[in-house]
Amino acid sequence: MFRKCKLIFIACLSFFLLAACSTESAKDQARGKKEVNLLFNFATSSLDPNVDTSYVSLRAGITETLVHLNDEDLTIEPWLAKSWDSKDGQLWNFELREGVTFQNGKPMDGKAVKASLERAMKDSLAIKNALRIESIEADGNALTIKTEVPFPEFPSELVHPNTSIIDVKESDYINKPIGTGPFAVSKFIPGTAVDLIRYESYWDGAAKLERARFSFNEDANARSLALESGDADIVFRPEVESLENLEAKDGVKVESTSTFRVHQMTMNLERKALQDIHVRKAVDALIDRSSIAETILHGHAEVATGPFLSTFSFAPDYPKKANGMEAAKAFLDQAGYKKVDGVMQKDGKPLTFTLLTYSSRADLPLIAQVFQSDAGQLGIDVKIKQIEIPEEYMASNRDWDLTTYSNLTAPRGDAGYYLNATYHPKGALNFSGADDDRLTSLIDELNVTVGQEERSDLAEEIAMYVDEQVYNSFILHPNTLVAYDADKVKNWITSRSEYYMLTNELDVK
C-alpha cells in the first residue's frame, strides 16, 4: 500500500515538474520572440496613409515617402527617391531607388509612384494644395513632375506622411495598405491596434523584429500603467505625473526630447468677437505660459513666444507683451467691454467662448481648464467641449471660438510648411479661417524664394506680422516624451519630427 502511494506521489510530482518546465519553456519561448508593442496616444479608425491624420502607416513602418527628414541636422535626404533636381524650381526630375518592391512583391516603379501621388491628391485636398502638382510623367524609374508655379521647396513637401507611396491597385487602403516599408499589416483592429509582420524582401534589409504591434490608448495614465505592467514595451507620451515612478522602475528609460511642436490657442476668426484684435489680445494676455509649463508639463516644455522654437533662424525676437488679468481687462476695455454684475459684456451681450479640446494630448484639456478658470475671473464664460479628431471637427464645424491645439510647425527645418498650412487661404490647417491679403502675398513670395538666408528673413517677417495681428496664440513647445523597457528594447530612437518609429533597425535584446 505504501509502495503504491509512493508511486502515485512520484507520478504526480513528475506531472507538476513537467508542467512547470513546460510553462518555463513557454515563457522562454515568448521571451525569445523578436517583437515589441508600441503604445501610441492617438487612435485611428483607418490606416489610409493619404488621409489619416495620425500618420500611423508611416510611423508603424508600413509605408515610406519619396523624401526623408534627417532628424539630426534637419535636412531632407533621399528615401524612395534616390535623387532629384530642377533648373527652374517648377520642372522636377526624380530618379527612384531601384530594387524596391511593395509588400505584395510588385515593383515600385515610376508608374506606381505616379498612380499613388495622383490618388493622394484626388482623395486629399490638403495634399493637393500642398504639392501644387500640375502634371506627372513616368518613364521606368524616372519621374518628371511639373508644379503649377515655381516651387523651390517642393521636395520638402514629399516628406509629409500623407504623400506615402502605396500600391493603389490593392484597394483596401483603410485596413491593409500595401506600402514599401519593413512591416506589412497582419491584422488591423480599428481604434485598438495594428499587428505587423516583417516584410522579408524590404529593400534596406529585413527588419530585425519578426513582429510588432502598434496599439492605441488615448489615456495617458493607462499608457504609463501598461509600461509598468509589461503590457507595452514602448509608450509614446506617458503621463507626465508618472515619469518619476517610471524612472524609478528597473530597466525603464524615459526620454524627453525637444521637438518642432507647438501647443497653441487656435482662434476662429469667423466669430464676431474674435474679429476684434483687442479681444484676441485679451485672450493672448490671459494665458499664463510659465505656470502652465511648470505645473502641467513639469518643466518638459519651452514657453512659446511664437510658433517656432527660439533656436530657429526664422524665429523673431518678439517685443515684450503685456500679460495677466489687468492687461487682458485693459484690452477688453479698448474693445468696448465692461464688467457688469460680474459678467463681461458689450451692448448688453455677455462675452462667451466655446473652447474645443481633446484628450489624446493629456495636457491640452488641463490647459483649457486653466484658461476657463482665469477667464471666469474676468467675467468671461468659457464652455469647454471635448472632441475626438480636432482636424475633422474644426474643418467641418464653425460653432466654436477657441481650440487648444497642437501642431508640428517646422518638421522639415523650414517655416514654409506651417505658414502655408495655417495661414494661407488654401492651407490644410487654416482652421482659424485666416484670409489676409498681405499675409497671403508674403507667403506666396516665400514659396518662390530660394536660399536659406533669404527664406529665413522673409519667414521671420511673416511670423512677426502674425504676432502683430494675433492670429492664434502660442502657449508652449512641449518635449516629446517616450518611455520604454531598455532591458528589452534596442535601437529605439525618439524622432524629433515624430514621423519615424518602427524601423528595420529596431530590435530586442
Side-chain angles (χ1 to χ4, degrees):
M1 182 70 179
F2 172 77
R3 186 171 179 272
K4 185 176 181 182
C5 290
K6 184 178 179 182
L7 288 172
I8 294 172
F9 173 75
I10 291 171
C12 291
L13 181 62
S14 299
F15 172 79
F16 287 118
L17 285 171
L18 285 171
C21 289
S22 176
T23 301
E24 287 303 313
S25 176
K27 287 181 179 178
D28 289 340
Q29 188 177 9
R31 280 194 289 267
K33 285 185 178 179
K34 305 263 285 183
E35 59 182 76
V36 298
N37 179 16
L38 184 150
L39 189 52
F40 193 56
N41 62 318
F42 270 110
T44 185
S45 58
S46 168
L47 294 178
D48 187 339
N50 300 140
V51 297
D52 173 31
T53 56
S54 296
Y55 309 149
V56 170
S57 287
L58 186 83
R59 287 168 165 157
I62 302 165
T63 63
E64 298 169 311
T65 52
L66 293 179
V67 181
H68 189 271
L69 178 71
N70 185 311
D71 265 347
E72 294 184 7
D73 59 15
L74 304 183
T75 59
I76 58 173
E77 58 191 15
W79 207 6
L80 292 180
K82 68 178 183 181
S83 64
W84 54 84
D85 65 75
S86 176
K87 293 181 180 179
D88 59 4
Q90 186 169 12
L91 193 64
W92 293 88
N93 300 305
F94 283 80
E95 190 68 26
L96 302 178
R97 194 178 295 277
E98 297 175 358
V100 179
T101 58
F102 291 106
Q103 289 140 4
N104 56 12
K106 295 179 182 178
M108 182 216 70
D109 55 15
K111 185 177 179 181
V113 172
K114 176 179 185 289
S116 181
L117 290 175
E118 288 177 341
R119 186 261 165 175
M121 291 186 291
K122 177 177 177 291
D123 283 26
S124 171
L125 180 61
I127 289 301
K128 180 181 179 182
N129 289 338
L131 298 182
R132 303 174 210 172
I133 291 176
E134 182 178 299
S135 64
I136 306 176
E137 299 296 331
D139 182 13
N141 271 359
L143 279 180
T144 301
I145 300 177
K146 183 179 181 181
T147 55
E148 296 169 351
V149 294
F151 192 7
E153 295 303 310
F154 172 68
S156 71
E157 291 296 333
L158 297 174
V159 168
H160 198 290
N162 288 151
T163 67
S164 286
I165 303 303
I166 56 173
D167 183 355
V168 298
K169 292 183 179 179
E170 301 278 0
S171 58
D172 191 4
Y173 311 123
I174 292 176
N175 297 298
K176 195 174 184 179
I178 304 299
T180 60
F183 296 102
V185 178
S186 171
K187 182 181 181 181
F188 175 49
I189 307 169
T192 301
V194 53
D195 290 324
L196 306 151
I197 56 173
R198 177 168 61 197
Y199 176 46
E200 299 292 347
S201 299
Y202 177 56
W203 64 269
D204 198 25
K208 292 179 169 58
L209 297 174
E210 299 168 42
R211 295 177 173 274
R213 168 168 266 222
F214 197 100
S215 48
F216 321 116
N217 194 317
E218 297 188 350
D219 186 325
N221 181 55
R223 292 196 298 274
S224 295
L225 291 174
L227 182 64
E228 289 191 53
S229 66
D231 289 336
D233 305 305
I234 306 167
V235 170
F236 195 76
R237 294 192 179 277
E239 186 181 43
V240 176
E241 290 80 1
S242 72
L243 294 183
E244 189 174 335
N245 289 338
L246 291 176
E247 289 173 323
K249 187 175 175 61
D250 288 343
V252 170
K253 184 174 182 180
V254 176
E255 294 184 352
S256 179
T257 307
S258 64
T259 184
F260 319 122
R261 182 171 294 282
V262 70
H263 284 357
Q264 67 183 46
M265 187 73 80
T266 297
M267 301 186 189
N268 184 352
L269 301 177
E270 295 176 10
R271 304 289 270 189
K272 186 175 180 180
L274 290 169
Q275 290 174 356
D276 190 322
I277 190 172
H278 296 105
V279 175
R280 300 199 297 272
K281 286 183 176 181
V283 168
D284 186 74
L286 271 174
I287 301 171
D288 190 344
R289 294 162 173 82
S290 295
S291 176
I292 289 171
E294 288 304 315
T295 61
I296 296 178
L297 275 295
H298 292 226
H300 293 279
E302 175 187 313
V303 168
T305 52
F308 307 115
L309 279 167
S310 58
T311 52
F312 282 119
S313 60
F314 41 81
D317 291 325
Y318 295 101
K320 187 173 177 59
K321 299 178 184 176
N323 57 67
M325 290 287 176
E326 290 304 315
K329 184 176 181 302
F331 286 130
L332 290 173
D333 285 343
Q334 289 179 271
Y337 287 88
K338 301 294 179 184
K339 194 173 183 180
V340 180
D341 297 328
V343 177
M344 188 63 68
Q345 54 185 272
K346 178 180 179 180
D347 301 329
K349 295 182 180 179
L351 179 60
T352 64
F353 293 129
T354 296
L355 173 58
L356 306 180
T357 192
Y358 49 103
S359 60
S360 51
R361 294 197 182 277
D363 32 341
L364 295 183
L366 299 177
I367 293 172
Q369 290 168 23
V370 169
F371 181 82
Q372 180 188 50
S373 175
D374 291 343
Q377 294 182 46
L378 273 184
I380 303 171
D381 181 28
V382 176
K383 295 179 175 63
I384 296 177
K385 181 175 182 178
Q386 289 276 347
I387 56 175
E388 290 187 6
I389 304 175
E391 293 81 8
E392 289 184 6
Y393 191 94
M394 288 191 286
S396 303
N397 301 277
R398 307 308 289 169
D399 59 350
W400 55 275
D401 301 282
L402 306 167
T403 305
T404 54
Y405 183 58
S406 189
N407 192 19
L408 286 168
T409 58
R412 297 147 220 176
D414 186 89
Y417 161 74
Y418 176 80
L419 296 176
N420 271 281
T422 310
Y423 298 108
H424 198 283
K426 293 183 178 180
L429 305 177
N430 186 0
F431 305 122
S432 63
D435 192 357
D436 181 317
D437 289 343
R438 183 185 172 193
L439 182 55
T440 303
S441 177
L442 286 170
I443 295 172
D444 286 339
E445 184 182 349
L446 176 67
N447 291 336
V448 296
T449 299
V450 181
Q452 189 57 52
E453 186 175 344
E454 291 82 357
R455 289 183 62 80
S456 291
D457 288 344
L458 187 52
E460 188 175 341
E461 181 182 349
I462 297 171
M464 188 66 80
Y465 182 75
V466 167
D467 180 69
E468 291 169 359
Q469 299 301 315
V470 201
Y471 292 151
N472 302 327
S473 285
F474 307 97
I475 304 168
L476 50 84
H477 301 286
N479 286 4
T480 292
L481 296 170
V482 177
Y484 62 95
D485 181 356
D487 283 346
K488 175 182 178 180
V489 177
K490 181 181 178 183
N491 300 339
W492 167 262
I493 295 176
T494 300
S495 165
R496 295 178 67 194
S497 66
E498 302 179 11
Y499 287 166
Y500 316 115
M501 296 184 184
L502 298 185
T503 70
N504 64 325
E505 293 298 321
L506 188 63
D507 203 355
V508 293
K509 297 176 182 177

